[in-house]
Amino acid sequence: MPPKKRNTVVSQSKEPKPSAASVSPDKKEIAELSFKKHRDKDTEFVTLCKSLHVTDLVCDNAWMLWKTIQDSVEELNAFQDSQKSLWGSCLFASVTDMDIACFTLTQLLKAVSLNVKEFLALVRKLDVNMDTISTKVNAALSSLEKKYDVMLALYQRFEKTCKSVFASVSDKEKEIIRSCWTMFLLAKGRALQMEDDLVISFQLLLCTLEFCIKRCPPELLQPLYKSAISKVHNPPARAARRSQSKAKSRPPESEVDLQLLKTLCKENDCNSEEVKNVYQTSFSAFLDSLDLSGAPHFPQGKGLDQQYEQHYLRSRDFDGRLFLDGDATVLAPKVDLSQVERTPKKMSEEDNTLIPPQTPIRAAMTSIQQLRGDLTSSGDQPSTHLATYFKNCTVDPTQDVMKRLETLGEAFSQRFGQAVGPHCVTLGRQRFNLGVKLYYKIMEAMLKSEEKRLSVQNFSKLLNDSTFHTSLLACALEVVMATYGESSFKTGGYNQGSGDAAERNMCFPWILDVVNLAAFDFYKVIESFIKADPTLSKDIVKHLETCENLIMERIAWRTGSPLFELLRQEHEGGTAEQVETPASFSQPLQHNHTAADLYLSPVRPASSQPPAQPASQPARPLKSNSLSLFYKKLYRLAYTRLKMLCSHLLFSHPELEPIIWTLFQHTLQHEHELMRDRHLDQLMMCAMYAICKVKIVDLRFKSIVTAYKNMPNTSQDLTDFQASVLTTEGNYDSIIGFYNLVFIAEVKNATSMQDLTVPQHSSPIPQIPRSPYKFPNSPLRVPVSSNVYISPMKSPRMSPGIMTPRSRMLVSIGESFGVSNRFQKINQMVNSGDRSFKRSLDLGSTPKPLKRLRFDMDGQDEADGSKSGGDSALIQKLAEMTSTRSRVQEQKMKKQTSQHDHDEG
């Protein structure tokens, strides 16, 4: 099929005139808006509605919303022509809530002259009364923002790649670039249900580039890509007639495709095997749908443009083609370069080139490379060492492990395909296989640690516990999905959702539903998992810590959770106080619990069994380790949030904080049924309101919720606090309704509010240590100093053979090196502190030089008092560094002197 003329794609970036038929896929008849029906409204507002083809009902609802927020317009006047912009925001909120297809986001943005980021910020500012914007609108804003951020990052990489591919920028190249980008937009829209998936979208972009570059005339390409496709093009007819054998010797098309694909992947730091898999599944299916598979020529631009037009109008968001024209509605926000987060300015020893700043795609590819690199030596079968642990068990768990992995692997890949795209089941299997490698790696590390701790090799009870294996595998899969960006909390975190939207939401706790695991059981493995893998990045550790917080604040309190059964057993056994006694939770939190302790709880290891009770005394039930640790962490999370909220609202009444905490802690310990199917923060706000009422302090619920919304790391699902708080079974109300109908009645029935306000009855304040999860790649600050940090190596997989003395150990003290007494100054500065750790420093001992820095990997935190000698250990590390540095410099000087003498000889 010959290619069409160039002018077939000249006008494809023009914004189509909005019409009811074009933007409403279901072709519902929409009546023309009449000015007569809206004489009570501003004429310009009605004109805006008419230009966007909204219905009378949408016009009325948007006007009502405008009147609601009109009094607060002065706070929103940062935008030019702010009134028209606010009208547009009200229209967007109305059509989203009513689910009526009237206009696309791009049509609205052009009508009110705003870009995407400005518009999203403005709609969020409409929420002046905390209930102006519904959860549905807020979710739509988050989805649009993430999709825009992904699209912008992809276009910036596409633009950069095109500059490296094409030799010039003539009209021909511009036409190819436009058609290639449009083809990618269409492929992404058809192949992916999750269009905000950065990694798979980027891999689809590379597939599209491969398809287009392969069909470009070689003279348009740079040498690198010209050589990559030299074997792809069919030889000239005369050359083909010269020798049939030469034609037969040409490599198969699939191999040539892979050659070009590898070139693109190498230039973009992407794994070629993964991209090849995307090509053979999702992209090939897309090509088949367009009847382009095997087509020798470039596809017609006009046809692609028309098909993308239909997809864009159905999606009702922004037109991705506008990036090609630098349209104002999709321009990237201007950022002060001095405020841009950059990677540290490092220079290689060879060319002194600076490492460029991290872009979203570069960060994603780096994280994936690190994960895959860490698992290079790990197989998808148990290692020899792990297999030995299995064989040492009284009952060998190998067959059960294999059968479980087979079942869960099928379930995971199928659910992954349902969530991401119809042809992504194979991609799900790839993610699962990576998770299995990580699962085996972590299990082996845990068992080695347990062997060292308990001096046993038979772990039959633990390794035959199905819940333990499922939890460990789920955690490994969550790490893989978070690394690939498929589980993220950047858009508001966990939300319940419903229907198709919930199925496509792969944020935690999606994985728990896939493997049919209770959140409380998943929580037991998180801490041990992090301790067992020192290569986990800081972002992944934070992600798992967020998962843990979500479990404690809400997910573990769902009806049917094993947490309630544990609490029932504790209370029925007469051990209600064992949930967590005040004396206990005021003590430092010991981070020495292992997965074995928690999964085999409440039965303790034999070495810690209590002595036998006399026959005349009933046996006292054993305390559940998992429940005890859960409540300790729960109290610390609860108090941290309460303290922050009090600092915002009750800074003039500091005496109320311990009283509010006493009531809050009392409800968690003695009235835990209040947490069933509710959120920790709902009880926190009710406790604050109740005490303020008792103490006659004027504080309204609206003020509490407003302050709560402005706190960091809080739930953005505001309906949980406004209109969807569970009151009685199956009934929901506002948080004030919950307070009046349930909370205050339960608390008053259980105890006297006045008793809780007596100082001697106050609950002790929990100690709030730093996170128990140390980040192996984060700088560690030296005590008594604000500018001395020590950092482990960033690349632990670097071969010692290629390391230099400089790259073995890097130390930064905020100034350049060059003088040997810098380390003496560090020691003097540290030793001049007033901290008590100076007394424990053994100045007479000579530290043994280390080949590399040692850091505590057992999760103990020096700051929480759970480990003696922690500070002195840090000083010892600095001394060891000094000794090692001096020794290396001395050896280097000897080597240079020897070389100098040899040269002179």
Side-chain angles (χ1 to χ4, degrees), residues 150 154 192 196-205 270 274 278 364-365 368 431 483-486:
V150 168
L154 290 168
L192 298 181
D196 56 3
D197 189 305
L198 177 63
V199 174
I200 301 180
S201 296
F202 179 55
Q203 292 169 342
L204 272 174
L205 178 59
C270 196
E274 290 188 353
V278 172
M365 295 302 107
I368 292 170
R431 301 285 194 275
T483 302
Y484 278 83
E486 285 142 358

Side-chain angles (χ1 to χ4, degrees), residues 872-883:
S872 61
L874 191 57
I875 301 303
Q876 184 176 0
K877 289 169 189 173
L878 279 176
E880 291 169 344
M881 290 166 56
T882 306
S883 174

Side-chain angles (χ1 to χ4, degrees), residues 524-758:
K524 298 176 188 177
V525 83
I526 295 177
E527 186 171 321
S528 292
F529 191 102
I530 293 173
K531 292 176 183 178
D533 190 357
T535 65
L536 291 177
S537 69
K538 181 177 180 180
D539 288 338
I540 293 299
V541 172
K542 284 187 174 181
H543 179 90
L544 292 178
E545 195 170 6
T546 302
C547 292
E548 185 179 65
N549 288 344
L550 288 172
I551 290 171
M552 289 190 291
E553 71 187 20
R554 178 193 299 197
I555 309 175
W557 299 98
R558 290 174 174 174
T559 295
S561 169
L563 174 61
F564 289 104
E565 178 61 21
L566 270 177
L567 287 168
R568 185 190 64 79
Q569 292 175 3
E570 293 272 343
H571 284 260
E572 286 184 356
T575 58
E577 292 302 317
Q578 288 192 20
V579 169
E580 199 57 47
T581 61
S584 175
F585 73 76
S586 64
Q587 297 300 314
L589 180 60
Q590 302 287 338
H591 300 293
N592 55 3
H593 300 274
T594 68
D597 286 335
L598 302 184
Y599 283 98
L600 302 182
S601 177
V603 179
R604 295 180 180 275
S607 59
S608 58
Q609 291 286 352
Q613 299 287 337
S616 59
Q617 298 181 8
R620 184 178 180 86
L622 292 173
K623 182 178 179 181
S624 168
N625 287 338
S626 58
L627 186 60
S628 174
L629 181 61
F630 180 86
Y631 258 83
K632 281 187 176 183
K633 289 188 174 184
L634 176 69
Y635 286 150
R636 282 157 178 79
L637 176 66
Y639 179 72
T640 300
R641 292 189 177 177
L642 176 65
K643 186 175 181 65
M644 187 180 301
L645 191 59
C646 286
S647 67
H648 280 77
L649 295 171
L650 298 174
F651 53 88
S652 59
H653 297 278
E655 73 282 359
L656 293 185
E657 180 188 303
I659 303 176
I660 298 170
W661 166 242
T662 299
L663 176 58
F664 190 15
Q665 187 271 327
H666 169 85
T667 59
L668 293 175
Q669 181 168 4
H670 299 283
E671 307 298 327
H672 55 263
E673 278 293 324
L674 286 171
M675 280 294 297
R676 186 183 292 273
D677 296 324
R678 299 189 182 99
H679 195 291
L680 175 70
D681 297 345
Q682 292 168 349
L683 269 64
M684 172 182 68
M685 290 186 279
C686 286
M688 174 175 283
Y689 184 74
I691 294 301
C692 288
K693 292 282 286 185
V694 171
K695 292 295 185 179
I696 317 178
V697 174
D698 185 21
L699 182 64
R700 300 183 179 181
F701 245 127
K702 178 181 177 181
S703 300
I704 296 175
V705 177
T706 301
Y708 172 84
K709 183 181 178 183
N710 292 327
M711 287 167 55
N713 302 320
T714 53
S715 174
Q716 298 302 310
D717 193 1
L718 292 181
T719 54
D720 282 339
F721 309 102
Q722 288 298 309
S724 294
V725 186
L726 180 66
T727 51
T728 57
E729 185 176 354
N731 297 317
Y732 293 84
D733 203 332
S734 67
I735 189 169
I736 298 177
F738 165 69
Y739 174 86
N740 290 326
L741 296 173
V742 181
F743 181 85
I744 196 64
E746 290 292 332
V747 172
K748 283 186 175 180
N749 289 338
T751 185
S752 168
M753 291 285 289
Q754 294 295 337
D755 290 343
L756 293 174
T757 61
V758 178

Side-chain angles (χ1 to χ4, degrees), residues 412 435 438 472-484 486-489 506-512 522 540 543-544 547:
F412 178 86
L438 184 57
L472 188 59
L473 177 63
C475 197
L477 291 170
E478 183 66 24
V479 167
V480 171
M481 291 170 58
T483 302
Y484 278 83
E486 285 142 358
S487 180
S488 171
F489 302 112
M506 296 172 70
C507 292
F508 186 81
W510 179 84
I511 188 62
L512 302 186
F522 181 86
I540 293 299
H543 179 90
L544 292 178
C547 292

